[in-house]
Amino acid sequence: MSASSKALLEIDINQPRYDQSTYVGRAQHFLQVTNPLNVFATPAALEDARTIVTKHRLKQTLPEGLDEDQLWGAKNLYDSAFHPDTGEKMNIIGRMSAQVPMNMLITGGMMTFYKSTPAVIFWQWINQSFNALVNYTNRSGDAQLSNSHLLTSYACATGGALVTALGLNRLVKNASPIVGRLVPFAAVAAANCVNIPLMRSQELIDGTPVYDKNDNRIGVSQRAARDGIIQVTFSRIAMAAPGMVLVPFVMNRLERKGILRRLPWMTLPIQVSLVGLCLTFATPLACAVFKQRAEIKYDNLEDDIKEKLKQKFGPELPHTLWYNKGL
């Protein structure tokens, strides 16, 4: 094994390249993970990335000529496509790297056609179908949901979004145009509060895996699952906020100046482009609000996990355990 290969094997790629104890470090990490270009990676490129990561973890010989930047590039590509707990390749639409291109199209459609009831129904259905897939794909641990549970969760989340959007549209019918333009954001925020807990409800029932500092699985915790779901819900709303709150003011200004009345065909492309610009930065910045490898303190754990820790560690009890909060 060459000296360069040995040096690369000393790098701990199981931890992100950037310091995750700081917001800036987490933002740098998620800029890599949510990079929309990762969506276009070929199956061969993904398999190459998985091979490199697997060989590195097993301390096997790495491909000749591989340097540190290429190693981290492979790890970032691997993280963008494979589930951190199960190692399974995720559905391409459900990956975080698909968030920007998918959301810019869906959000642009919701915000452009917010006045028509059939359009509201269609775009909210599309949005919640996409959200359900993302929430399921990025669930924490190895939680499994039955088909009936998935269908029930999906129907409740979609119904909640539609009731919110149609109800608010009725209430603000005579309000100023800018208020009407903000209705889609209110519907999305409300739906996230329903969709995420429902699609990940099995974690609330069974718990999510918790690990010690050496990544040894200690047990499953319902409290960790609850905390993770709350954090993800907040992040998703924060992710949508810039595009769905700031862009309506821009569009309202363009409408008042008569630009959109003269060029109505420009409404959708302008709105989609502005939303895409916001999401490009809002997606990684919102994901970075909370640590991906989240912490739960010993005092907040369930009694059965505390007992396992006492048996395993004796008097040297760890003060903190870790879990994957999901995305």
Side-chain angles (χ1 to χ4, degrees), residues 106-272:
I106 295 171
T107 304
M110 282 194 296
M111 294 170 63
T112 300
F113 307 107
Y114 67 95
K115 292 181 180 179
S116 162
T117 296
V120 169
I121 293 173
F122 173 77
W123 285 106
Q124 288 294 338
W125 168 67
I126 290 291
N127 186 48
Q128 290 313 310
S129 298
F130 172 65
N131 284 342
L133 179 59
V134 172
N135 294 334
Y136 178 74
T137 302
N138 292 279
R139 65 198 183 281
S140 175
D142 48 9
Q144 298 295 325
L145 288 174
S146 65
N147 290 336
S148 60
H149 198 137
L150 280 172
L151 185 60
T152 301
S153 301
Y154 168 69
C156 289
T158 304
L162 288 173
V163 168
T164 302
L166 295 174
L168 287 176
N169 270 344
R170 183 181 294 271
L171 287 174
V172 303
K173 184 180 294 184
N174 298 319
S176 65
I178 188 61
V179 174
R181 287 184 181 276
L182 292 172
V183 166
F185 173 65
V188 166
N192 271 324
C193 293
V194 176
N195 195 324
I196 296 171
L198 283 174
M199 293 304 295
R200 294 177 56 178
S201 58
Q202 201 64 42
E203 295 173 48
L204 295 171
I205 298 170
D206 297 334
T208 196
V210 289
Y211 304 86
D212 65 17
K213 64 180 181 180
N214 296 317
D215 287 330
N216 296 311
R217 179 166 168 162
I218 302 299
V220 290
S221 170
Q222 294 171 319
R223 293 176 186 174
R226 177 201 62 196
D227 292 348
I229 288 171
I230 291 172
Q231 292 173 13
V232 169
T233 301
F234 178 87
S235 293
R236 292 289 184 81
I237 294 173
M239 191 185 300
M244 300 193 78
V245 173
L246 297 179
V247 173
F249 285 95
V250 176
M251 299 303 293
N252 195 56
R253 178 81 178 209
L254 293 175
E255 192 170 77
R256 287 171 58 186
K257 285 181 171 293
I259 295 174
L260 296 183
R261 284 194 293 271
R262 292 195 302 271
L263 302 168
W265 61 272
M266 287 293 292
T267 300
L268 182 60
I270 289 175
Q271 199 143 238
V272 168

